[in-house]
Amino acid sequence: MFCNQCEQTAKGIACEVKGVCGKNAEVSALQDLVLCSVKELSVLANEAKEKGLELEKFNRFTIESIFTTLTNVNFDSNSLAKYVLDVQFLANELAQQIQKPVPEFFNKITQAKSTKELELLGEEFRLIIDENATEDIQSLQQILIYGIKGVAAYAYHAYVLGNEDERIYSFIHEALATINRDRSLAEWVELVLKCGEINLIAMEILDDANTKTYGHPVPTSVPLGQKKGKAILVSGHDLKDLFDLLKATEGKGINIYTHGEMLPAHGYPELKNFSHFYGHYGTAWQNQRKEFVDFPGPILMTTNCIQEPKDSYIDSIFTTGTVAWPGVTHVENGQFDKLIDKAQQMPGFEEDIDKGEVMTGFARNAVLSVADKIVEGVKQEKIKHFMLVGGCDGIKSDRNYYTELVDRSPKDTVILTLGCGKFRFFDHKIGEIDGIPRLLDIGQCNDAYSAVKIALALAEAFECGVNDLPLSLVLSWYEQKAVSILLTLLYLDIKDIRLGPSLPAFISEGVLNVLVENYGIKPISTVEEDLQTILG
């Protein structure tokens, strides 16, 4: 195997024996085969589009299939093999419609008689980049692929709520179908930035889907303790799965708790309406193996974030949607009878325990509703700086940098945060500025569009560009959705972003030089040095 798509890749180069995320070489090969299959399907889809054929079914399956190849989503060989075969079936159907022969690639899949033989094919095809290209072009091709993975994830979240945009599908098909095309370095850079533009569209339609369906988030205090009674824990990102579960458990005496990036769900009015939607349990995704052990009810994993379950709770964890782990019970979206039955069988919490509260729900509408107060605070020099400290959390100890950065920031600094990176400091009490909390949780990584809109609105209020604002972006990254967000920020020409805890292994020295020279992107250093530079 060869996998360098996440921040924690082995030795900062690539995982070649077993993934740090827990995937084995067989799973890695099948994920590569899924992506190769979608690439070949995209070639047919481009031709079908030129002929004016309907591609709805093919488009939707494309983003779902790509989503399964993201870090911490699907670890089940049989599930991944089925995706390969389903893509092949769709390719055959599409080839017939456009009266073209099926690509030779799919004939090899037809000859495979078992999952093991498909794994061997995955090892043969592996990466879909041009191995004869220069190091810098290979780097840009990988950035594009990982950016597309992030786009597909956001587009899938939006699709399940009924929001789609043809521009997203067209870009994915065209980019994958031509990934080996001979382009100049400048043309590859342009295509990568185009991915950032398309990701902005994906985040916008996801924001629109979430807010139209569940209302605009409002500032909400969320209990961190527990309430006596039966309980179910929901982790991941998918708000629809959470809503469907809340509906299914109404009147059943089961309290619903969030974990990880589900925390911001408590700010949505249509979710807050459920009286049994109680509180938040635990912290970020990488701590689930120690936190899930003590949860006295079943756990539902939605979208990405799953780690290898311990034996002590493998019988009480469930997956849904694109998520899969071998030996773990998978339930179809919205079909939660088994999960509810398990909750009734398990003990639940034996008593009420108060562990304090945290605030969430400071998405764009909430922040912009007090924009005049924020602007006035800046003019009166009560607020001297804004820092967006957000992104992904992870295992490495040097991520404590983000905790120290927030804790040591001056009292006239407002901290905006989103993603699971906030769990390094989400429960820290750092005060207020004239009634405005200094720590504003914008939401999930899925809510990055809110952060963009807040920055653009502040720039408009101060009649300047975003890069002229007293605003610094200090981001942590882990997986491919973070890559697509970074590409969006670059597309918007936002400069001087600090990125950590380490730079992506797939960025070559030449490409890094382009990012440094054109955008001022830089790795984080020490808290002391960065605060001094940021605050002048």
Side-chain angles (χ1 to χ4, degrees), residues 378-402:
V378 173
K379 289 180 178 179
Q380 294 179 6
E381 297 190 347
K382 294 180 179 179
I383 301 174
K384 291 188 178 179
H385 207 82
F386 299 88
M387 281 198 289
L388 175 60
V389 185
C392 314
D393 204 0
I395 296 170
K396 292 182 179 178
S397 59
D398 50 4
R399 288 178 180 268
N400 288 329
Y401 163 95
Y402 298 94

Side-chain angles (χ1 to χ4, degrees), residues 27-49:
V27 166
S28 181
L30 285 168
Q31 288 180 346
D32 288 343
L33 193 60
V34 169
L35 198 59
C36 289
S37 301
V38 173
K39 172 186 177 294
E40 296 297 332
L41 178 65
S42 291
V43 173
L44 297 172
N46 280 342
E47 293 193 43
K49 183 183 176 184

Side-chain angles (χ1 to χ4, degrees), residues 27-42 61-70 74 76-88 105-106 109 118 121-122 125-126 128 149 176:
V27 166
S28 181
L30 285 168
Q31 288 180 346
D32 288 343
L33 193 60
V34 169
L35 198 59
C36 289
S37 301
V38 173
K39 172 186 177 294
E40 296 297 332
L41 178 65
S42 291
F61 199 78
T62 290
I63 57 172
E64 180 181 342
S65 300
I66 294 173
F67 197 177
T68 66
T69 71
L70 266 74
N74 194 328
D76 187 85
S77 293
N78 291 330
S79 172
L80 291 165
K82 185 177 185 306
Y83 273 102
V84 171
L85 297 176
D86 286 346
V87 175
Q88 178 201 32
F105 172 86
F106 289 110
I109 291 176
L118 287 175
L121 271 181
F125 287 100
R126 211 179 67 172
I128 61 175
K149 289 190 177 191
L176 288 180

Side-chain angles (χ1 to χ4, degrees), residues 362 367 374 378 383-391 401-418 421-422 425 430 433 437-442 451-452 454-455 458 466 469-476 489 494-498 524 526-536:
F362 294 98
V367 173
I374 293 174
V378 173
I383 301 174
K384 291 188 178 179
H385 207 82
F386 299 88
M387 281 198 289
L388 175 60
V389 185
Y401 163 95
Y402 298 94
T403 312
E404 295 178 24
L405 185 73
V406 170
D407 287 346
R408 295 172 62 177
S409 63
K411 295 188 182 300
D412 54 13
T413 302
V414 172
I415 308 295
L416 306 170
T417 189
L418 78 164
K422 64 173 161 278
F425 48 79
I430 63 172
I433 301 175
R438 285 190 56 224
L439 181 59
L440 301 176
D441 178 16
I442 298 172
V452 170
I454 290 168
L458 288 174
V466 172
L469 287 170
L471 168 67
S472 299
L473 277 65
V474 188
L475 306 180
S476 55
L489 296 175
I494 294 176
K495 293 182 167 60
D496 297 323
I497 300 168
R498 285 173 170 78
I524 59 172
T526 66
V527 172
E528 293 85 355
E529 291 174 355
D530 286 345
L531 277 176
Q532 184 175 4
T533 303
I534 288 169
L535 302 175

Side-chain angles (χ1 to χ4, degrees), residues 286-358:
Q286 78 277 4
N287 298 319
Q288 63 187 254
R289 280 170 55 84
K290 63 181 180 182
E291 293 173 348
F292 287 0
V293 169
D294 297 323
F295 191 79
I299 301 147
L300 178 66
M301 299 301 299
T302 73
T303 67
N304 55 320
C305 284
I306 192 170
Q307 285 191 301
E308 180 177 5
K310 287 188 173 182
D311 291 342
S312 59
Y313 63 84
I314 196 167
D315 290 336
S316 60
I317 189 169
F318 295 75
T319 59
T320 192
T322 54
V323 189
W325 191 283
V328 169
T329 301
H330 187 84
V331 295
E332 296 301 319
N333 294 105
Q335 297 179 19
F336 298 130
D337 289 348
K338 291 181 181 179
L339 180 71
I340 294 169
D341 288 345
K342 190 68 175 180
Q344 299 289 15
Q345 296 165 17
M346 295 182 70
F349 289 109
E350 296 180 354
E351 59 180 343
D352 294 347
I353 294 183
D354 184 0
K355 294 184 179 180
E357 299 178 330
V358 293

Side-chain angles (χ1 to χ4, degrees), residues 176-250:
L176 288 180
T178 63
I179 194 72
N180 300 124
R181 179 177 294 175
D182 186 20
R183 293 182 173 95
S184 68
L185 190 67
E187 289 173 327
W188 276 112
V189 170
E190 183 180 354
L191 188 58
V192 165
L193 292 178
K194 180 69 175 180
C195 185
E197 178 185 2
I198 295 300
N199 188 61
L200 182 61
I201 295 170
M203 290 194 300
E204 182 179 11
I205 66 169
L206 174 56
D207 178 271
D208 180 69
N210 283 336
T211 54
K212 280 184 177 178
T213 307
Y214 307 114
H216 283 275
V218 295
T220 301
S221 184
V222 184
L224 295 177
Q226 60 199 48
K227 189 174 183 180
K228 183 178 179 180
K230 305 292 185 180
I232 294 176
L233 185 63
V234 185
S235 191
H237 304 79
D238 199 286
L239 298 183
K240 187 177 188 303
D241 286 330
L242 175 60
F243 178 83
D244 289 344
L245 180 61
L246 287 166
K247 287 281 289 182
T249 50
E250 270 190 304

